[in-house]
Coordinates of all heavy atoms in Angstrom, one line a residue:
F1 N -34.3 -22.1 68.3 CA -33.0 -22.7 68.7 C -32.2 -23.2 67.4 O -32.7 -23.9 66.7 CB -33.4 -23.9 69.6 CG -32.1 -24.7 70.1 CD1 -31.1 -24.2 70.8 CD2 -31.9 -26.0 69.6 CE1 -30.0 -24.9 71.3 CE2 -30.9 -26.8 70.0 CZ -29.9 -26.3 70.8
K2 N -30.9 -22.7 67.4 CA -30.1 -23.0 66.4 C -28.8 -23.5 66.9 O -27.9 -22.8 67.3 CB -29.8 -21.8 65.4 CG -31.0 -21.4 64.7 CD -30.8 -20.1 63.7 CE -32.0 -19.7 63.0 NZ -31.8 -18.6 62.1
P3 N -28.6 -24.9 67.1 CA -27.4 -25.4 67.8 C -26.2 -25.0 67.1 O -25.9 -25.3 66.0 CB -27.7 -26.8 67.8 CG -28.6 -27.1 66.7 CD -29.5 -25.9 66.6
H4 N -25.2 -24.4 67.8 CA -24.0 -23.9 67.2 C -22.8 -23.9 68.3 O -23.1 -23.9 69.6 CB -24.1 -22.6 66.6 CG -24.4 -21.4 67.6 ND1 -25.7 -21.2 68.0 CD2 -23.6 -20.6 68.3 CE1 -25.7 -20.2 68.8 NE2 -24.5 -19.9 69.1
V5 N -21.6 -23.8 67.9 CA -20.5 -23.6 68.6 C -19.9 -22.3 68.2 O -19.6 -22.1 67.0 CB -19.5 -24.7 68.6 CG1 -18.2 -24.4 69.2 CG2 -20.0 -26.0 69.2
S6 N -19.6 -21.4 69.1 CA -19.0 -20.1 68.7 C -17.4 -20.2 68.8 O -16.9 -20.9 69.6 CB -19.4 -19.0 69.7 OG -20.8 -18.7 69.5
V7 N -16.8 -19.6 67.8 CA -15.3 -19.5 67.7 C -14.8 -18.2 68.3 O -13.8 -18.2 68.9 CB -15.0 -19.7 66.2 CG1 -13.5 -19.4 66.0 CG2 -15.3 -21.0 65.6
A8 N -15.6 -17.1 68.1 CA -15.2 -15.9 68.7 C -16.5 -15.1 68.8 O -17.5 -15.2 68.1 CB -14.3 -15.1 67.7
Y9 N -16.3 -14.1 69.8 CA -17.5 -13.1 70.1 C -17.0 -11.7 69.6 O -15.8 -11.4 69.8 CB -17.8 -13.1 71.5 CG -18.5 -14.3 72.0 CD1 -17.9 -15.1 72.9 CD2 -19.8 -14.8 71.5 CE1 -18.4 -16.3 73.4 CE2 -20.4 -15.9 71.9 CZ -19.7 -16.7 72.8 OH -20.3 -17.8 73.3
S10 N -17.9 -11.1 69.0 CA -17.6 -9.6 68.7 C -17.6 -8.8 70.0 O -18.5 -8.8 70.7 CB -18.6 -9.1 67.7 OG -18.4 -7.7 67.5
S11 N -16.6 -8.0 70.1 CA -16.5 -7.1 71.3 C -16.6 -5.7 71.0 O -16.3 -4.8 71.9 CB -15.2 -7.5 72.0 OG -14.0 -7.2 71.2
A12 N -16.9 -5.4 69.8 CA -17.0 -3.9 69.3 C -17.8 -3.7 68.1 O -18.1 -4.7 67.4 CB -15.5 -3.3 69.1
D13 N -18.4 -2.6 67.9 CA -19.0 -2.2 66.7 C -18.1 -1.9 65.6 O -17.0 -1.3 65.9 CB -20.0 -1.1 67.0 CG -21.0 -1.3 67.9 OD1 -21.5 -2.5 68.1 OD2 -21.5 -0.4 68.6
G14 N -18.3 -2.4 64.4 CA -17.3 -2.1 63.4 C -17.7 -2.9 62.1 O -18.7 -3.7 62.1
P15 N -16.9 -2.7 61.1 CA -17.2 -3.4 59.8 C -17.0 -4.8 59.9 O -16.1 -5.3 60.5 CB -16.3 -2.7 58.8 CG -15.2 -2.2 59.6 CD -15.8 -1.9 60.9
A16 N -17.9 -5.6 59.2 CA -17.8 -7.1 59.3 C -16.9 -7.6 58.1 O -16.5 -8.7 58.2 CB -19.2 -7.7 59.1
A17 N -16.6 -6.8 57.1 CA -15.8 -7.3 55.9 C -14.5 -8.0 56.3 O -14.2 -9.1 55.8 CB -15.6 -6.2 54.9
P18 N -13.7 -7.4 57.2 CA -12.4 -8.2 57.6 C -12.7 -9.6 58.1 O -11.9 -10.5 58.0 CB -11.7 -7.2 58.6 CG -12.3 -5.9 58.3 CD -13.7 -6.1 57.9
V19 N -13.7 -9.7 58.9 CA -14.1 -10.9 59.6 C -14.6 -12.0 58.5 O -14.1 -13.1 58.5 CB -15.1 -10.8 60.7 CG1 -15.4 -12.1 61.4 CG2 -14.6 -9.8 61.7
L20 N -15.4 -11.5 57.7 CA -16.0 -12.3 56.6 C -14.8 -12.9 55.7 O -14.8 -14.0 55.3 CB -17.0 -11.6 55.8 CG -18.3 -11.3 56.5 CD1 -19.1 -10.2 55.8 CD2 -19.2 -12.6 56.5
E21 N -13.9 -11.9 55.4 CA -12.8 -12.3 54.5 C -11.9 -13.3 55.2 O -11.5 -14.3 54.5 CB -12.0 -11.0 54.0 CG -12.8 -10.1 53.2 CD -12.1 -8.7 53.0 OE1 -11.1 -8.5 53.7 OE2 -12.7 -7.9 52.4
A22 N -11.7 -13.1 56.5 CA -10.7 -14.1 57.2 C -11.4 -15.5 57.2 O -10.8 -16.5 57.0 CB -10.5 -13.6 58.6
V23 N -12.7 -15.5 57.5 CA -13.5 -16.8 57.5 C -13.5 -17.5 56.2 O -13.3 -18.7 56.1 CB -14.8 -16.6 58.1 CG1 -15.7 -17.9 58.0 CG2 -14.8 -16.3 59.6
E24 N -13.8 -16.7 55.2 CA -13.8 -17.3 53.8 C -12.4 -17.8 53.3 O -12.4 -18.8 52.6 CB -14.3 -16.2 52.8 CG -14.6 -16.7 51.5 CD -15.3 -15.7 50.6 OE1 -16.4 -15.1 51.0 OE2 -14.9 -15.5 49.4
R25 N -11.4 -17.2 53.8 CA -10.0 -17.6 53.3 C -9.7 -18.9 54.0 O -8.8 -19.7 53.5 CB -9.0 -16.6 53.6 CG -9.0 -15.4 52.6 CD -7.7 -14.6 52.7 NE -7.4 -14.2 54.1 CZ -7.8 -13.0 54.6 NH1 -8.5 -12.2 53.8 NH2 -7.5 -12.6 55.8
A26 N -10.1 -19.2 55.2 CA -9.8 -20.3 55.9 C -10.2 -21.6 55.3 O -11.4 -21.8 54.8 CB -10.4 -20.2 57.4
N27 N -9.3 -22.6 55.2 CA -9.6 -23.8 54.7 C -9.6 -24.9 55.7 O -8.5 -25.5 55.9 CB -8.7 -24.1 53.5 CG -9.1 -25.4 52.8 OD1 -10.0 -25.9 52.9 ND2 -8.0 -26.0 52.1
V28 N -10.7 -25.1 56.4 CA -10.7 -25.9 57.6 C -11.6 -27.2 57.4 O -12.7 -27.1 57.0 CB -11.3 -25.1 58.9 CG1 -11.3 -26.0 60.1 CG2 -10.5 -23.9 59.0
P29 N -10.9 -28.4 57.5 CA -11.7 -29.6 57.3 C -12.8 -29.7 58.4 O -12.7 -29.2 59.5 CB -10.7 -30.7 57.5 CG -9.4 -30.1 57.2 CD -9.5 -28.6 57.7
P30 N -13.9 -30.3 58.0 CA -15.0 -30.5 59.1 C -14.6 -31.2 60.3 O -13.6 -32.0 60.3 CB -16.1 -31.2 58.2 CG -15.8 -31.0 56.8 CD -14.3 -30.8 56.8
A31 N -15.4 -31.1 61.3 CA -15.1 -31.8 62.6 C -16.3 -32.6 63.0 O -17.5 -32.3 62.6 CB -14.8 -30.8 63.7
T32 N -16.1 -33.6 63.7 CA -17.1 -34.5 64.3 C -17.0 -34.5 65.8 O -16.0 -34.6 66.3 CB -17.0 -36.0 63.7 OG1 -17.2 -36.0 62.3 CG2 -18.1 -36.8 64.3
A33 N -18.1 -34.4 66.5 CA -18.2 -34.6 67.9 C -19.2 -35.7 68.3 O -20.2 -35.8 67.7 CB -18.6 -33.3 68.5
R34 N -18.8 -36.4 69.4 CA -19.7 -37.4 69.9 C -20.5 -36.8 71.1 O -19.9 -36.2 72.0 CB -18.9 -38.6 70.4 CG -19.7 -39.8 70.9 CD -20.4 -40.4 69.7 NE -21.1 -41.7 70.1 CZ -21.9 -42.3 69.3 NH1 -22.2 -41.9 68.1 NH2 -22.5 -43.5 69.7
V35 N -21.9 -36.8 70.9 CA -22.7 -36.3 71.9 C -23.2 -37.5 72.8 O -24.0 -38.3 72.4 CB -23.9 -35.6 71.4 CG1 -24.8 -35.0 72.5 CG2 -23.4 -34.4 70.5
A36 N -22.6 -37.7 73.9 CA -22.9 -38.8 74.8 C -23.4 -38.3 76.2 O -23.8 -39.2 77.0 CB -21.6 -39.7 75.0
S37 N -23.3 -37.0 76.4 CA -23.8 -36.5 77.8 C -24.1 -35.0 77.5 O -23.8 -34.4 76.6 CB -22.8 -36.7 78.8 OG -21.6 -35.9 78.5
V38 N -24.8 -34.6 78.5 CA -25.2 -33.2 78.6 C -24.8 -32.6 80.0 O -24.9 -33.4 81.0 CB -26.7 -32.9 78.5 CG1 -27.0 -31.5 78.5 CG2 -27.2 -33.6 77.2
Q39 N -24.3 -31.4 80.0 CA -23.7 -30.8 81.2 C -24.6 -29.8 81.7 O -25.1 -28.9 81.1 CB -22.4 -30.3 81.0 CG -21.3 -31.3 80.7 CD -21.4 -31.8 79.3 OE1 -21.7 -31.1 78.3 NE2 -21.3 -33.2 79.1
L40 N -24.9 -29.8 83.1 CA -25.5 -28.7 83.8 C -24.4 -27.9 84.4 O -23.5 -28.5 85.1 CB -26.4 -29.2 85.0 CG -27.0 -28.1 85.8 CD1 -27.9 -27.2 85.1 CD2 -27.8 -28.7 87.0
I41 N -24.3 -26.6 84.2 CA -23.2 -25.8 84.6 C -23.8 -24.5 85.2 O -24.9 -24.2 85.0 CB -22.2 -25.4 83.4 CG1 -23.1 -24.6 82.3 CG2 -21.6 -26.7 82.7 CD1 -22.2 -24.1 81.2
T42 N -22.9 -23.9 86.0 CA -23.2 -22.6 86.5 C -22.3 -21.5 85.9 O -21.1 -21.5 86.1 CB -23.0 -22.6 88.1 OG1 -23.9 -23.6 88.7 CG2 -23.3 -21.2 88.7
L43 N -22.9 -20.7 85.1 CA -22.2 -19.8 84.1 C -22.1 -18.4 84.7 O -23.0 -17.9 85.4 CB -23.1 -19.8 82.9 CG -22.6 -19.1 81.6 CD1 -21.6 -19.9 81.0 CD2 -23.8 -18.9 80.7
N44 N -21.0 -17.8 84.3 CA -20.8 -16.4 84.5 C -20.2 -15.7 83.3 O -19.7 -16.4 82.4 CB -19.9 -16.0 85.8 CG -18.5 -16.1 85.5 OD1 -17.8 -15.2 85.0 ND2 -17.9 -17.3 85.8
R45 N -20.4 -14.4 83.1 CA -19.8 -13.6 82.1 C -19.1 -12.4 82.5 O -19.0 -11.4 81.8 CB -20.8 -13.4 81.0 CG -22.2 -12.8 81.6 CD -23.0 -12.1 80.5 NE -22.3 -10.9 80.0 CZ -22.8 -10.2 79.0 NH1 -23.9 -10.6 78.4 NH2 -22.2 -9.2 78.6

């Protein structure tokens, strides 16, 4: 288990270089979240 939040999902096979370059160029200050509850949900995809 590696707790994470996804920003985007890959929807195709292809080179990763453009994605890596875009993420590396982004200058995004860190974020903080307060964990005060857990949600039971019914999920679909």
Side-chain angles (χ1 to χ4, degrees):
F1 175 64
K2 296 180 179 180
H4 65 275
V5 169
S6 293
V7 174
Y9 294 114
S10 174
S11 58
D13 299 329
V19 182
L20 287 164
E21 291 167 358
V23 168
E24 187 169 311
R25 285 196 305 268
N27 183 17
V28 182
T32 298
R34 185 69 173 169
V35 179
S37 63
V38 181
Q39 292 75 41
L40 176 65
I41 61 177
T42 301
L43 187 74
N44 79 83
R45 44 164 295 174

